[in-house]
Amino acid sequence: MRLRSTNNNSPEVSFAEALFQGLAPDGGLYMPIALPNIFDRLEKLDGGNDFPAVAAQIIEGVLGDELGNALDFTRQTFPFAPALVRVSEGIQVLELWHGPSSAFKDYGASFLAAAMERLLQDRNQRAIILTATSGDTGSAVAQAFYGRENIDVVILFPEGRVSPLQEKQLTTLGGNIHALQVKGAFDDCQRMVKEAFMDKQLCQQVPLTSANSINIGRLVPQSFYYVYAWAQLRAAGVSECSFVVPSGNFGNLTAGVLAWKWGLPVKGFVAATNVNDVVPEYLKTAQYNPRESVATYSNAMDVGTPSNFDRLQAIFGGSCEEMKNMIAGEVVTDEQTLQTMQRYYQEHKVFLDPHTAVGVLAAERRRASGDKSEMIVLGTAHPGKFLEVVKEATGVLPDLPERLAAVLEKKGHADPIFPDVADLRAYLLEKFAGQVI
Ligand SMILES: *Cc1c(COP(=O)(O)O)cnc(C)c1O
């Protein structure tokens, strides 16, 4: 696969180069140049193909053998799988929270970690992943990279500002996962990471790389579950489906649109957001006005400047009309989110996390407006990760997923650090400068 920056102002790169660079040198996002049609491969899939088998077909179709034997790779990378659950008439939730951090980001993080490990081993190189987190992404990354050969991960988080569970998820793994507790805010963590990457001398001595959500290596694997769901639905006799995607940075939706470009038969997509609605607004008015985000119950979607919008624009050639033909926007308020969670618990005995609830209400609206295709809502997180909101909506405390409850019992370790890049530099040099291959 060859890739090009959305800013069109840096050299084309291979998939491996794009993985380790993350952001293109011109500040743009990497996108595949060619979008091969792999419908012939997809058509052979049926309900009997498990998730690794589906993923391997797509990898072979779009990446070839860049990661070695595709099926071996996917079997090792994905010990967890999505589940499709019908929640009401014409609406199914694709549960994507059966992985180690109980949110869909496990798919992207696991794939990126496994791909990086494989490529580094092939080249006999090491990498140090440097990342800042306000909570959720960091835990998916930590879990995915834990125990990987040739890779260490340094995670910066703001002291006292992540939830107790998130802190445990970051600090209890140990081994090649190093947690730094910054005496400052999330913005300090992000600034330190940015400054470290800009320090040329440091980068020569320590092979720093990133694993953030704009990495194409996190996007490609998110297309796999759209195809998986479609194969399951087709086997069950469902002829037409739409995907409803609770969105913030729009990585998940972009991955679905990629799958469609690769030949997946989809009626359409629904971009479901909370009141941070820059994309639904764009679809309505053709005006794109990124702005400050506001806090909501579905906080992983509190994004005012969606980082993948440029990729969506690249796919649709910058045309709002073209995008509208494929993507509908729906905006859901906090109050509507709570009501939906309450209603689904009372009427269907289903717990929804606030993000998935935004998607479910959007799906109901599409059905009510006459779209009778089967609505597949991406279930982005386990309801147990949002205990307080679920309790407020339903009056009942859902169970914490077992693997998360177990983490709470463990003792964590984090090294304290001042919010100064000089301290981070010293830490990285002391820990990693000597041992680089
Ligand atoms: C990250 C996240 C989202 C938003 O996904 P994007 O790809 O950023 O649009 C939605 N729900 C949950 C639970 C998330 O963690």
Side-chain angles (χ1 to χ4, degrees), residues 103-105 136 222 246-253 300-301 308 353 355 380-381 386:
F104 81 88
K105 291 187 176 74
D136 234 20
Q222 289 177 14
S247 295
N249 269 318
F250 284 79
N252 229 355
L253 183 72
M301 299 173 5
N308 282 290
D353 89 277
H355 308 79
T380 51
F386 299 89

Side-chain angles (χ1 to χ4, degrees), residues 85 87-88 91-94 244-246 272 332 336-337 340-341 343-344 348 350-367 375-379:
V85 177
V87 293
S88 59
I91 301 180
Q92 305 196 31
V93 170
L94 182 65
V244 185
V245 190
V332 173
Q336 292 166 335
T337 305
T340 306
M341 293 166 73
R343 188 156 50 80
Y344 269 75
H348 308 283
V350 172
F351 279 122
L352 297 173
D353 89 277
H355 308 79
T356 308
V358 166
V360 168
L361 183 62
E364 286 185 346
R365 289 188 192 152
R366 300 304 301 168
R367 297 273 305 177
M375 295 285 155
I376 311 306
V377 180
L378 269 53

Side-chain angles (χ1 to χ4, degrees), residues 201-213:
Q201 210 191 0
L202 174 66
C203 291
Q204 269 165 15
Q205 296 176 72
V206 181
L208 295 179
T209 188
S210 71
N212 56 21
S213 62

Side-chain angles (χ1 to χ4, degrees), residues 404-436:
L404 296 189
V407 168
L408 278 176
E409 305 298 313
K410 293 190 190 156
K411 202 171 145 39
H413 173 80
D415 286 321
I417 188 169
F418 286 103
D420 185 342
V421 71
D423 290 19
L424 177 60
R425 184 171 197 280
Y427 173 90
L428 293 170
L429 286 173
E430 189 203 322
K431 218 169 176 94
F432 303 112
Q435 44 166 290
V436 173

Side-chain angles (χ1 to χ4, degrees), residues 32 35 96 98 116 148 253 301 402 412 419:
L35 294 168
L96 298 173
H98 295 278
M116 280 186 168
R148 298 270 171 201
L253 183 72
M301 299 173 5
E402 216 170 279

Side-chain angles (χ1 to χ4, degrees), residues 167-414:
E167 181 165 334
K168 290 276 182 172
Q169 285 183 301
L170 299 174
T171 59
T172 54
L173 288 166
N176 64 330
I177 309 297
H178 315 277
L180 290 181
Q181 179 174 321
V182 177
K183 295 184 179 304
F186 173 59
D187 288 341
D188 294 308
C189 302
Q190 261 190 323
R191 175 180 47 80
M192 289 162 77
V193 167
K194 222 170 167 178
E195 288 175 0
F197 278 114
M198 286 184 329
D199 184 335
K200 292 259 155 30
Q201 210 191 0
L202 174 66
C203 291
Q204 269 165 15
Q205 296 176 72
V206 181
L208 295 179
T209 188
S210 71
N212 56 21
S213 62
I214 51 96
N215 197 304
I216 189 77
R218 286 181 54 174
L219 205 65
V220 167
Q222 289 177 14
S223 67
F224 302 164
Y225 38 74
Y226 288 87
V227 178
Y228 177 76
W230 170 79
Q232 298 273 318
L233 290 165
R234 207 172 56 132
V238 174
S239 58
E240 203 174 41
C241 68
S242 299
F243 287 98
V244 185
V245 190
S247 295
N249 269 318
F250 284 79
N252 229 355
L253 183 72
T254 303
V257 174
L258 273 181
W260 165 66
K261 278 280 172 187
W262 289 330
L264 182 71
V266 179
K267 167 96 187 299
F269 295 92
V270 181
T273 70
N274 56 33
V275 292
N276 294 285
D277 61 347
V278 269
V279 173
E281 185 184 276
Y282 168 76
L283 291 165
K284 200 150 98 191
T285 65
Q287 302 293 317
Y288 183 62
N289 289 317
R291 49 181 170 259
E292 289 270 295
S293 65
V294 297
T296 73
Y297 287 135
S298 44
N299 58 18
M301 299 173 5
D302 293 348
V303 180
T305 311
S307 54
N308 282 290
F309 185 72
D310 287 350
R311 282 192 169 119
L312 281 176
Q313 283 232 299
I315 295 174
F316 291 103
S319 159
C320 181
E321 279 306 310
E322 297 274 319
M323 201 186 290
K324 257 164 65 174
N325 284 338
M326 212 49 209
I327 305 176
E330 289 290 344
V331 184
V332 173
T333 65
D334 264 357
E335 199 186 337
Q336 292 166 335
T337 305
L338 276 192
Q339 283 166 357
T340 306
M341 293 166 73
Q342 181 187 45
R343 188 156 50 80
Y344 269 75
Y345 180 68
Q346 285 176 351
E347 291 175 12
H348 308 283
K349 286 285 164 278
V350 172
F351 279 122
L352 297 173
D353 89 277
H355 308 79
T356 308
V358 166
V360 168
L361 183 62
E364 286 185 346
R365 289 188 192 152
R366 300 304 301 168
R367 297 273 305 177
S369 77
D371 183 345
K372 292 303 174 207
S373 61
E374 189 82 359
M375 295 285 155
I376 311 306
V377 180
L378 269 53
T380 51
H382 188 292
K385 289 192 86 170
F386 299 89
L387 292 174
E388 294 79 14
V389 192
V390 175
K391 175 93 193 290
E392 187 180 340
T394 65
V396 181
L397 214 51
D399 287 336
L400 207 57
E402 216 170 279
R403 55 190 171 271
L404 296 189
V407 168
L408 278 176
E409 305 298 313
K410 293 190 190 156
K411 202 171 145 39
H413 173 80

Side-chain angles (χ1 to χ4, degrees), residues 24-41:
D26 64 6
L29 307 179
Y30 281 118
M31 274 298 275
I33 295 170
L35 294 168
N37 191 303
I38 58 168
F39 178 71
D40 289 350
R41 281 175 181 277

